[in-house]
């Protein structure tokens, strides 16, 4: 069988399943429109790191990377950089700094 035929079958099966009454009925619920409880982050940030972030400087284990260009894949950084950036823990530093610069 050709791959395009299989893709066509999968597409048709999906259309049938997701347009059915039963599927649409399963999506209905009595969910609240907002959060009932807003959790508080127990960890504080570092104001100095927050100030550096407003200048475009990320610091991790004594190593600095400037946030210009594609800083999600820094040339000079190591594997821990991507881990640090994608965890977004650095947002705590900005929150602790506060103000328009941090925002």
């Amino acid at each position: 069988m050709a791959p395009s035929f299989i893709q066509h079958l999968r597409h048709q099966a999906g259309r049938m399943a997701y347009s059915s009454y039963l599927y649409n009925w399963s999506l209905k619920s009595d969910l609240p429109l907002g959060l009932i409880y807003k959790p508080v982050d127990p960890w504080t940030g570092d104001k100095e790191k927050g100030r550096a972030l407003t200048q475009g400087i990320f610091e991790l284990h004594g190593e600095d990377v400037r946030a210009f260009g594609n800083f999600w894949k820094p040339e000079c950084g190591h594997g821990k950089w991507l881990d640090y950036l994608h965890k977004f823990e650095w947002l705590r530093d900005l929150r602790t700094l506060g103000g328009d610069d941090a925002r």
Side-chain angles (χ1 to χ4, degrees):
M1 281 189 253
S4 61
F5 178 70
I6 294 172
Q7 289 174 343
H8 176 72
L9 284 177
R10 288 175 63 190
H11 177 71
Q12 291 295 21
R15 281 185 57 203
M16 287 174 31
Y18 296 129
S19 63
S20 72
Y21 173 79
L22 186 60
Y23 177 75
N24 289 326
W25 175 80
S26 73
L27 296 176
K28 292 181 173 47
S29 68
D30 295 327
L31 294 175
L33 297 177
L35 291 177
I36 296 171
Y37 172 75
K38 181 181 175 188
V40 177
D41 188 355
W43 292 279
T44 59
D46 183 326
K47 279 188 180 185
E48 292 305 314
K49 284 185 177 183
R51 280 192 191 92
L53 285 169
T54 63
Q55 303 298 314
I57 300 170
F58 284 84
E59 187 270 322
L60 174 67
H61 301 298
E63 186 180 349
D64 293 344
V65 169
R66 292 206 162 266
F68 298 111
N70 190 359
F71 66 93
W72 293 103
K73 293 183 180 179
E75 294 174 12
C76 61
H78 45 74
K80 291 182 182 180
W81 269 111
L82 288 178
D83 185 49
Y84 172 73
L85 290 174
H86 287 106
K87 284 184 178 179
F88 293 96
E89 291 175 358
W90 47 270
L91 288 173
R92 292 177 177 140
D93 301 329
L94 292 174
R95 183 188 63 214
T96 299
L97 179 63
D100 288 336
D101 288 341
R103 195 168 309 124

